[in-house]
């Protein structure tokens, strides 16, 4: 019954910013999940954007390093992705995911939210 719901996507001009949110329900152990953001553009493979193991341990994909910031609010069962200096190549469907620590792959995925960067 674990469900992830993304929000915050939309259309933004190059150089602009967006903040995505991922609300997680159906679990009492949100703080134990590794939360991640992935994206997939048309005709391209899915790629990892960012992951957070806790409030201070984070990992970023090379393509977004220095521009995106992942964070989480364990009290609200929510993960965030702050996206700055957005470029057209960032256009994709962004997915939130949760995995158990020690597992190789996420166990739960959100429905995705569209991010379009265009002038």
């Amino acid at each position: 019954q674990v469900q992830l719901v993304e929000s915050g996507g939309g259309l933004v001009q190059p150089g602009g910013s967006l903040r995505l949110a991922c609300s997680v329900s159906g679990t009492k152990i949100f703080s134990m999940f590794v939360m991640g953001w992935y994206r997939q553009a048309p005709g391209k493979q899915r790629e990892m954007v960012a992951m957070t193991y806790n409030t201070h341990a984070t990992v970023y994909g090379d393509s977004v390093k220095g521009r995106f910031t992942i964070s989480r609010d364990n009290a609200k069962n929510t993960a965030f992705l702050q996206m700055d200096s957005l470029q057209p190549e960032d256009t994709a469907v962004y997915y939130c995911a949760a995995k158990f620590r020690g597992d190789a792959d996420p166990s739960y995925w959100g429905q995705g939210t569209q991010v379009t960067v265009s002038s």
Side-chain angles (χ1 to χ4, degrees), residues 1 8 10 15-16 20-21 25 29-30 36 39 42 48 54 59 63 68 73 80 88 98 108 111-112:
Q1 290 91 0
L20 306 183
S25 62
I29 56 169
F30 174 81
R39 69 186 184 186
M48 189 274 290
N54 52 53
V59 176
S63 62
F68 291 9
D73 185 341
F80 303 93
Y108 308 103
Q111 82 287 355

Side-chain angles (χ1 to χ4, degrees), residues 45 50-51 53 71 80-81 96:
Q45 295 182 334
M51 298 183 69
Y53 293 83
S71 61
F80 303 93
L81 183 68
C96 180

Side-chain angles (χ1 to χ4, degrees), residues 12-116:
V12 65
Q13 291 185 314
S17 298
L18 285 173
R19 190 184 77 155
L20 306 183
C22 174
S23 177
V24 181
S25 62
T27 180
K28 298 181 180 179
I29 56 169
F30 174 81
S31 63
M32 301 303 297
F33 281 128
V34 177
M35 299 300 300
W37 289 94
Y38 299 77
R39 69 186 184 186
Q40 187 166 27
K44 296 183 178 180
Q45 295 182 334
R46 184 185 66 194
E47 65 174 327
M48 189 274 290
V49 175
M51 298 183 69
T52 175
Y53 293 83
N54 52 53
T55 56
H56 298 290
T58 58
V59 176
Y60 295 93
D62 290 340
S63 62
V64 307
K65 206 172 191 69
R67 299 187 297 121
F68 291 9
T69 304
I70 189 171
S71 61
R72 64 195 297 160
D73 185 341
N74 288 337
K76 298 182 70 67
N77 281 25
T78 304
F80 303 93
L81 183 68
Q82 177 67 42
M83 304 184 294
D84 298 320
S85 301
L86 284 162
Q87 301 299 314
E89 56 264 34
D90 296 315
T91 296
V93 177
Y94 284 70
Y95 297 92
C96 180
K99 80 176 188 76
F100 294 101
R101 293 175 180 174
D103 285 359
D105 302 305
S107 294
Y108 308 103
W109 292 86
Q111 82 287 355
T113 185
Q114 177 71 46
V115 172
T116 301

